[in-house]
Amino acid sequence: MADAIAFDLATELITKLSSRALSQIGLWWNLKHDIDDLERTVYTIKDVLLDAVEKSVTNDLVKVWVEQVTDALYDADDLLDDFSTEALRKDLMSGNKLTKEVRLFFSSSNQFAYSPKMGRKIKAIKARLASIGSKAQMFGLVNRDCPVETSFMTKKRQQMHSFVCEDEIIGRDYDKVALLELVLGFQSEENLYIIPIVGFGGLGKTTLARLVYNDEMVKHYFDLMMWVCVSDVFDVKAIVKTIIECVTYKPLDQNLGMDQLQKQLRDKIDGKKYLLVLDDVWNEDVQQWLSLKHLLMGGARGSKIILTTRSMKVAKITSNCLPYVLKGLSDDDAWSLFKKIAFKEGYADSTNSAFVEMGKKILENCARVPLAIKTIGGMLSFKGTLIEWQSLLDRQLSRISLRENEILDSLGLSYNHLPSHLKLCFAYCRLYPKDHLIDVQTLVQFWIAQGFVKQSNPSQSLYEIGFGYFQDLVERSFFQEVGERYSGEGLTCKMHDLMHDLAIFVAKTNSVVVDSNFSAGEVGGKCRHISVNPSLIPLIKGKWLRTLLHFPNKREESQHMSDETWDSIISNCIHLRVLKLDNLDINKVPRSIHKLKHLRYLDLSNNPKLKILPKGICKIQNLQALKLDWCSQLKELPKKIENLVNLTHITCEQCHSLTHMPRGIGMLTSLQTLSGFVVDKDGSHGGADLSELSGLNNLRGQLRIKNLGSVKNAKEIFRAANLKEKQHLRSLVLVWSGDSDDDDKSLEDLQPHPNLESLLVIGWRGDAKFPSWISLLTNLVNISIWGPSKFKHLPSFAQLPCLQHLFVLDLIELEYMDNNNPNGRQGDLESFFPFLKRLHIQNCPNMKGWWRKRPIDDDNEDDTT
């Protein structure tokens, strides 16, 4: 990953060094000459980095040089972040309001405060980089302005042909039948129908295409059959030339122009029903694809193109039909293929139960991927002793094979085609355990905290851009099993085992997993990101670490660590950007937490003994995400929270003991997540009132407001909360609580934005009309009202048709409601709510005439009393 890290760091540094804010500071502090020199030096190094990475494959001295550059660029980045943080801290102490640009770097009001210290450090890093950069000439490095192949990719993918021996293929019978049905059975209204086969490298997309291409029924069905291996470069002229040669069986004159070629192509396919296989397509440029497609439209109706690709994006731009997503082999087929290859040469005995048992253990490393099974089976086929098989198993065979054979070539191609920012994001995922269910929102927040996500479009939030990165990786098959953890609780995904191995390989020593005392001692200066067994955290001495993660094993009991231990850890890891301390049985966060001034992400979730947070947290002005979910005894958030000017996410789900929100929280106008807002019940805690929500109009996801029954001057305060301007909110939970009568607290004054998709009202005891704004929520999917409630005017379909406008509803929940509506008539749910999947009405004895009961869902019948 050296190319991605170094190149990305250099690009980011140049952006910072050339900024208007830093230029102004250079003038104030008489450092402009040094800053300009540093910028030129970084530019010079960046120009030759790509060439250096390619040459480092075969030249160890160049490899060391790239590592030195990377370390120096990391230190320069830390230095600029250090200065910007100190400037921000000084400005906040003086009470000044910063512009966004200056906040990121330095403050005009403190222009002389750090001049000598800053000058020394700038000069030192400039000299260090200049010294390293001067060595570039020794290695003959040249300027490059486009990416090169990564260090493990020294050869192109082998050109594939159309022939296949069907007897050699195991486990693709079902896939072949499914593809034949599309090729032979489906009739499109258009002359040309395109069938994409999608999956990551090694699954057998080309093999499946060959099986279909060589089928006898297919050969008789089509007038013409052509096979083109497209691979890296989508050259329309070259593709057209190859298609013509497939038809004529003759090589074409190399000097033919595009106009001559397209005329020949149209002449060859005109009026003929053809099958064309475009194997291994990477092109994501719509215009290039359309320029080829237009030339291929002249065939007869029923013509088909089978297109194999690793990218879902390619599938989407080339075809309107659903792609055929290829999966791994079944367990039985995987074993059949492994047994056929591993025992082929007769060195090992296939009837020996010991070989069979060990073979099945080895097969687990192959993750049901045909290429891995063939490669590993081939390695074992010449080894005839259990000791040799055990040796390969002990050495984690799949990773060895990644380094030594064509599995790496195959999967590495996908990595090679990624832009540098996606390479960084993918390699970072090596910190997750294999088969781990990855929370997508958290992963994107990690990327943002590390600076991998670049905001080129100011109208998009960093999270929206980062989520776009995730979607790009999904479309390229780097993630799989994308779905919701629970209904409405966000996306999760997994990495295929072989993709995980690839991430380990490309991350190298930059990111490591620490799972033993030995590996804990190996964390060195080049390591920037670690995932560690919780019990080994005290052994970590990584001064330059930017990430400290752990993934608790539920079978292991958490170990309590003393304040002194935590102070030592923090003192040793002052450059952290991401710190994950959830599920560690913490009852007190050490005061020294304020030393982590570079920190962007802090997770303290699932520490039920944690009651208070230290004031020092509010000194971490770079903090972007603070996670406190399931800290059930936490009583309050720290005062002066308004100092966390970069905070975008505060999560406090299931923090039942929170008594109030701190005053000043309304000043955090960058907040995108505020999962809960607790109203101070009696005002004794001096907490924020609901009006502090007024300016927080960037809030996204769900907002739960508690203790609404305790609000004084409700009409004024409810309206001051300004819920109707929060256009990005998708879910709103209104919790009233308490025994007071809420007749004076009208839902009418809590009108949300029309974009709202889910509304839950809990415990409202007011005797008022259903709010009129409910009819404006045309995107509302779920509506739930949980008692005790005294609704007496819930609209019948006949009298007040406001609910009828919510035709997209798929969930209605009503509990403990005393609805006396004698004039109501039965409603036809099917016509009013065509998308309704679940109706739940419980303990509402006076509502029996409100609906006409019908079977909405066999598994989710309405629950009525």
Coordinates of all heavy atoms in Angstrom, one line a residue, residues 773-827:
W773 N -50.4 18.3 10.7 CA -49.3 18.1 9.9 C -49.0 16.6 9.4 O -48.2 16.4 8.6 CB -48.0 18.7 10.5 CG -47.7 18.4 11.9 CD1 -47.9 19.2 13.0 CD2 -47.2 17.2 12.5 NE1 -47.5 18.6 14.2 CE2 -47.0 17.3 13.9 CE3 -46.8 15.9 11.9 CZ2 -46.6 16.4 14.7 CZ3 -46.3 14.9 12.8 CH2 -46.2 15.2 14.1
I774 N -49.7 15.7 10.1 CA -49.5 14.3 9.7 C -49.7 14.0 8.2 O -49.1 13.2 7.6 CB -50.4 13.4 10.6 CG1 -49.9 11.9 10.5 CG2 -51.8 13.5 10.2 CD1 -48.6 11.7 11.2
S775 N -50.7 14.8 7.7 CA -51.0 14.6 6.3 C -49.9 15.1 5.3 O -49.9 14.8 4.1 CB -52.3 15.3 5.9 OG -52.2 16.7 6.1
L776 N -49.0 15.9 5.9 CA -47.9 16.5 5.1 C -46.7 15.5 4.9 O -45.8 15.7 4.1 CB -47.4 17.8 5.7 CG -48.5 18.9 5.8 CD1 -47.8 20.1 6.5 CD2 -49.0 19.3 4.5
L777 N -46.7 14.5 5.8 CA -45.5 13.6 5.8 C -45.7 12.5 4.8 O -45.9 11.3 5.1 CB -45.4 13.0 7.2 CG -45.3 14.0 8.4 CD1 -45.1 13.2 9.7 CD2 -44.2 15.0 8.2
T778 N -45.6 12.9 3.5 CA -45.9 11.9 2.5 C -44.9 10.8 2.3 O -45.1 9.9 1.5 CB -46.1 12.7 1.1 OG1 -45.0 13.5 0.9 CG2 -47.3 13.6 1.2
N779 N -43.7 11.0 3.0 CA -42.7 9.9 2.9 C -42.8 9.0 4.1 O -42.0 8.1 4.2 CB -41.3 10.5 2.9 CG -41.0 11.3 1.6 OD1 -41.5 10.8 0.5 ND2 -40.3 12.3 1.6
L780 N -43.8 9.2 5.0 CA -43.9 8.4 6.2 C -44.1 6.9 5.9 O -45.1 6.6 5.2 CB -45.0 9.0 7.1 CG -44.9 8.6 8.6 CD1 -43.6 9.2 9.2 CD2 -46.1 9.1 9.3
V781 N -43.3 6.1 6.4 CA -43.4 4.6 6.2 C -43.9 3.9 7.5 O -44.8 3.0 7.4 CB -42.1 4.0 5.8 CG1 -42.2 2.5 5.7 CG2 -41.6 4.6 4.5
N782 N -43.5 4.4 8.6 CA -43.9 3.8 9.9 C -44.5 4.8 10.8 O -44.0 5.9 11.0 CB -42.7 3.2 10.7 CG -42.0 2.1 9.9 OD1 -42.6 1.5 9.0 ND2 -40.7 1.9 10.2
I783 N -45.7 4.5 11.4 CA -46.3 5.4 12.4 C -46.7 4.5 13.6 O -47.3 3.5 13.4 CB -47.5 6.2 11.8 CG1 -48.0 7.1 12.9 CG2 -48.6 5.3 11.3 CD1 -49.0 8.1 12.4
S784 N -46.2 4.9 14.8 CA -46.4 4.1 16.0 C -46.8 5.1 17.1 O -46.2 6.1 17.3 CB -45.2 3.3 16.4 OG -44.7 2.5 15.4
I785 N -47.9 4.7 17.8 CA -48.3 5.5 19.0 C -48.5 4.5 20.1 O -49.3 3.6 20.1 CB -49.7 6.2 18.7 CG1 -49.5 7.1 17.5 CG2 -50.1 7.0 19.9 CD1 -50.8 7.7 17.0
W786 N -47.6 4.6 21.1 CA -47.7 3.7 22.3 C -48.2 4.5 23.5 O -47.7 5.6 23.8 CB -46.3 3.2 22.6 CG -45.7 2.4 21.4 CD1 -46.3 2.0 20.3 CD2 -44.3 1.9 21.3 NE1 -45.4 1.3 19.5 CE2 -44.2 1.2 20.1 CE3 -43.2 2.0 22.2 CZ2 -43.0 0.6 19.7 CZ3 -42.0 1.4 21.7 CH2 -41.9 0.7 20.5
G787 N -49.1 3.9 24.2 CA -49.7 4.5 25.3 C -48.9 4.5 26.6 O -47.7 4.2 26.6
P788 N -49.6 5.0 27.7 CA -51.0 5.3 27.7 C -51.2 6.7 27.0 O -50.5 7.6 27.1 CB -51.3 5.5 29.2 CG -50.0 5.8 29.8 CD -48.9 5.1 29.0
S789 N -52.4 6.7 26.3 CA -52.7 7.9 25.5 C -54.2 8.1 25.7 O -55.0 7.2 25.9 CB -52.3 7.8 24.1 OG -52.7 8.9 23.3
K790 N -54.6 9.4 25.5 CA -56.0 9.7 25.6 C -56.5 10.3 24.3 O -57.3 11.2 24.3 CB -56.3 10.7 26.8 CG -56.0 10.0 28.1 CD -56.5 10.9 29.3 CE -55.8 12.2 29.3 NZ -56.3 13.0 30.5
F791 N -56.0 9.8 23.2 CA -56.5 10.3 21.9 C -58.0 10.1 21.8 O -58.5 8.9 22.0 CB -55.9 9.5 20.7 CG -54.6 10.1 20.3 CD1 -53.4 9.4 20.4 CD2 -54.5 11.4 19.8 CE1 -52.2 9.9 20.0 CE2 -53.3 11.9 19.3 CZ -52.1 11.2 19.5
K792 N -58.8 11.1 21.6 CA -60.2 10.9 21.3 C -60.6 11.4 19.9 O -61.7 11.3 19.6 CB -61.0 11.8 22.4 CG -60.9 11.2 23.8 CD -61.7 12.0 24.7 CE -61.6 11.4 26.2 NZ -62.5 12.2 27.1
H793 N -59.6 11.8 19.2 CA -59.9 12.3 17.9 C -59.0 11.7 16.8 O -58.7 12.4 15.8 CB -59.8 13.9 17.8 CG -60.7 14.5 18.8 ND1 -62.1 14.6 18.6 CD2 -60.4 15.1 20.0 CE1 -62.6 15.3 19.7 NE2 -61.6 15.5 20.5
L794 N -58.6 10.5 17.0 CA -57.9 9.8 15.9 C -58.8 9.7 14.7 O -59.9 9.2 14.9 CB -57.5 8.4 16.4 CG -56.6 7.7 15.4 CD1 -55.2 8.3 15.3 CD2 -56.5 6.2 15.8
P795 N -58.4 10.2 13.6 CA -59.3 10.4 12.5 C -59.8 9.0 11.9 O -59.1 8.1 11.8 CB -58.5 11.1 11.4 CG -57.1 10.7 11.8 CD -57.0 10.6 13.3
S796 N -61.1 9.0 11.7 CA -61.7 7.9 10.9 C -61.4 8.2 9.5 O -61.2 9.3 9.1 CB -63.2 7.7 11.2 OG -63.9 8.8 10.6
F797 N -61.5 7.1 8.7 CA -61.2 7.4 7.2 C -62.3 8.2 6.6 O -62.1 8.9 5.6 CB -61.1 6.0 6.5 CG -59.9 5.3 6.9 CD1 -60.0 4.1 7.6 CD2 -58.6 5.7 6.6 CE1 -58.9 3.4 8.0 CE2 -57.5 5.0 7.0 CZ -57.7 3.8 7.7
A798 N -63.5 8.2 7.2 CA -64.7 8.9 6.7 C -64.6 10.4 7.0 O -64.8 11.3 6.2 CB -66.0 8.3 7.2
Q799 N -64.2 10.7 8.3 CA -64.3 12.1 8.8 C -63.1 12.9 8.5 O -63.2 14.1 8.2 CB -64.6 12.1 10.3 CG -66.0 11.5 10.6 CD -66.2 11.4 12.1 OE1 -65.3 11.0 12.8 NE2 -67.4 11.8 12.6
L800 N -61.9 12.4 8.7 CA -60.7 13.2 8.6 C -59.7 12.3 7.8 O -59.0 11.5 8.3 CB -60.2 13.5 9.9 CG -59.0 14.5 10.0 CD1 -59.3 15.8 9.2 CD2 -58.6 14.8 11.4
P801 N -59.6 12.6 6.5 CA -58.8 11.7 5.6 C -57.3 11.9 5.6 O -56.7 11.6 4.7 CB -59.4 11.9 4.3 CG -59.8 13.4 4.3 CD -60.3 13.6 5.7
C802 N -56.8 12.5 6.7 CA -55.4 12.9 6.7 C -54.5 11.7 6.5 O -53.5 11.7 5.8 CB -55.0 13.7 7.9 SG -55.1 12.8 9.4
L803 N -54.8 10.6 7.2 CA -54.0 9.4 7.1 C -54.0 8.8 5.7 O -53.1 8.1 5.3 CB -54.4 8.3 8.1 CG -54.0 8.6 9.6 CD1 -54.5 7.4 10.4 CD2 -52.5 8.7 9.7
Q804 N -55.1 9.1 4.9 CA -55.1 8.5 3.6 C -54.0 9.0 2.7 O -53.7 8.3 1.7 CB -56.5 8.8 3.0 CG -57.7 8.2 3.8 CD -59.0 8.6 3.2 OE1 -59.1 8.9 2.0 NE2 -60.0 8.7 4.0
H805 N -53.5 10.2 3.0 CA -52.4 10.7 2.2 C -51.1 9.9 2.4 O -50.2 10.1 1.6 CB -52.2 12.2 2.5 CG -53.4 13.0 2.1 ND1 -53.6 13.4 0.8 CD2 -54.3 13.6 2.9 CE1 -54.7 14.2 0.8 NE2 -55.2 14.3 2.1
L806 N -51.0 9.1 3.4 CA -49.8 8.4 3.7 C -49.9 7.0 3.1 O -49.8 6.0 3.8 CB -49.6 8.3 5.3 CG -49.8 9.6 6.0 CD1 -49.6 9.4 7.5 CD2 -48.8 10.6 5.5
F807 N -50.0 7.0 1.8 CA -50.3 5.7 1.1 C -49.1 4.8 1.1 O -49.2 3.6 0.8 CB -50.8 6.0 -0.3 CG -49.8 6.6 -1.2 CD1 -48.9 5.9 -2.0 CD2 -49.7 8.0 -1.3 CE1 -48.0 6.5 -2.8 CE2 -48.8 8.6 -2.1 CZ -47.9 7.9 -2.8
V808 N -47.8 5.3 1.5 CA -46.7 4.5 1.4 C -46.4 3.8 2.8 O -45.5 3.0 2.9 CB -45.4 5.3 1.1 CG1 -45.5 5.9 -0.3 CG2 -45.1 6.4 2.1
L809 N -47.3 4.0 3.8 CA -47.1 3.3 5.1 C -47.0 1.8 4.9 O -47.8 1.2 4.2 CB -48.3 3.6 6.0 CG -48.3 5.0 6.8 CD1 -49.6 5.2 7.5 CD2 -47.2 5.0 7.7
D810 N -46.0 1.2 5.6 CA -46.0 -0.2 5.7 C -46.1 -0.8 7.1 O -46.1 -1.9 7.3 CB -44.7 -0.8 5.0 CG -43.4 -0.5 5.7 OD1 -43.5 -0.1 6.9 OD2 -42.4 -0.6 5.1
L811 N -46.2 0.2 8.1 CA -46.3 -0.3 9.5 C -47.2 0.7 10.2 O -47.0 2.0 10.2 CB -45.0 -0.3 10.2 CG -45.0 -0.5 11.7 CD1 -45.6 -1.8 12.1 CD2 -43.6 -0.4 12.3
I812 N -48.2 0.2 10.9 CA -49.0 1.0 11.8 C -49.1 0.3 13.2 O -49.4 -0.9 13.2 CB -50.5 1.2 11.3 CG1 -50.5 2.0 10.0 CG2 -51.3 2.0 12.3 CD1 -51.9 2.1 9.4
E813 N -48.7 1.0 14.2 CA -48.7 0.4 15.6 C -49.5 1.3 16.5 O -49.2 2.5 16.6 CB -47.3 0.2 16.2 CG -46.5 -0.8 15.5 CD -45.2 -1.0 16.2 OE1 -44.4 -0.1 16.2 OE2 -44.9 -2.1 16.8
L814 N -50.5 0.8 17.2 CA -51.3 1.6 18.1 C -51.4 0.7 19.4 O -51.9 -0.4 19.3 CB -52.7 1.9 17.5 CG -52.7 2.6 16.2 CD1 -54.1 2.7 15.7 CD2 -52.1 4.0 16.3
E815 N -51.0 1.3 20.5 CA -51.1 0.5 21.8 C -51.7 1.4 22.9 O -51.4 2.6 23.0 CB -49.7 0.1 22.2 CG -49.1 -1.0 21.3 CD -47.8 -1.6 21.9 OE1 -47.5 -1.2 23.0 OE2 -47.2 -2.4 21.2
Y816 N -52.6 0.8 23.7 CA -53.1 1.5 24.9 C -53.7 2.9 24.6 O -53.4 3.9 25.2 CB -52.1 1.6 26.0 CG -51.6 0.3 26.5 CD1 -50.5 -0.3 26.1 CD2 -52.3 -0.3 27.6 CE1 -50.1 -1.5 26.6 CE2 -52.0 -1.5 28.1 CZ -50.8 -2.1 27.6 OH -50.4 -3.3 28.1
M817 N -54.6 2.9 23.6 CA -55.2 4.1 23.2 C -56.7 4.0 23.5 O -57.4 3.0 23.2 CB -55.1 4.4 21.7 CG -53.6 4.8 21.3 SD -53.5 5.1 19.5 CE -54.8 6.3 19.3
D818 N -57.3 5.1 24.1 CA -58.7 5.2 24.5 C -59.4 6.0 23.4 O -59.7 7.2 23.6 CB -58.8 5.8 25.9 CG -60.3 5.8 26.3 OD1 -61.0 5.1 25.7 OD2 -60.6 6.6 27.2
N819 N -59.6 5.4 22.3 CA -60.2 6.2 21.1 C -61.7 6.0 21.1 O -62.2 4.9 20.7 CB -59.5 5.8 19.8 CG -60.0 6.6 18.7 OD1 -59.9 7.8 18.7 ND2 -60.7 6.0 17.7
N820 N -62.5 7.0 21.5 CA -63.9 6.9 21.4 C -64.3 7.6 20.1 O -64.4 8.8 20.1 CB -64.5 7.6 22.6 CG -64.2 6.8 23.9 OD1 -64.5 5.6 24.0 ND2 -63.6 7.5 24.9
N821 N -64.7 6.9 19.1 CA -65.0 7.4 17.8 C -66.2 6.7 17.3 O -66.1 6.0 16.3 CB -63.8 7.3 16.9 CG -63.9 8.2 15.7 OD1 -64.9 9.0 15.6 ND2 -63.0 8.1 14.8
P822 N -67.4 7.0 17.9 CA -68.6 6.2 17.6 C -69.0 6.4 16.2 O -69.7 5.6 15.6 CB -69.6 6.6 18.6 CG -69.2 8.0 19.0 CD -67.7 8.0 18.9
N823 N -68.7 7.5 15.6 CA -69.2 7.8 14.2 C -68.3 7.3 13.1 O -68.5 7.5 11.9 CB -69.3 9.4 14.0 CG -70.4 9.9 15.0 OD1 -71.4 9.3 15.2 ND2 -70.1 11.1 15.6
G824 N -67.1 6.7 13.5 CA -66.2 6.2 12.5 C -66.8 5.0 11.8 O -67.6 4.3 12.3
R825 N -66.4 4.8 10.6 CA -66.8 3.6 9.9 C -65.6 2.8 9.5 O -64.5 3.3 9.5 CB -67.6 4.0 8.6 CG -66.9 4.7 7.5 CD -67.8 5.0 6.4 NE -67.1 5.7 5.3 CZ -66.4 5.2 4.4 NH1 -66.2 3.9 4.3 NH2 -65.9 6.0 3.4
Q826 N -65.8 1.6 9.1 CA -64.7 0.7 8.8 C -63.9 1.2 7.6 O -64.4 1.8 6.7 CB -65.2 -0.7 8.5 CG -65.8 -1.4 9.7 CD -66.2 -2.8 9.3 OE1 -66.4 -3.1 8.1 NE2 -66.3 -3.7 10.3
G827 N -62.6 1.1 7.7 CA -61.7 1.5 6.7 C -61.2 0.3 5.9 O -60.9 -0.7 6.5

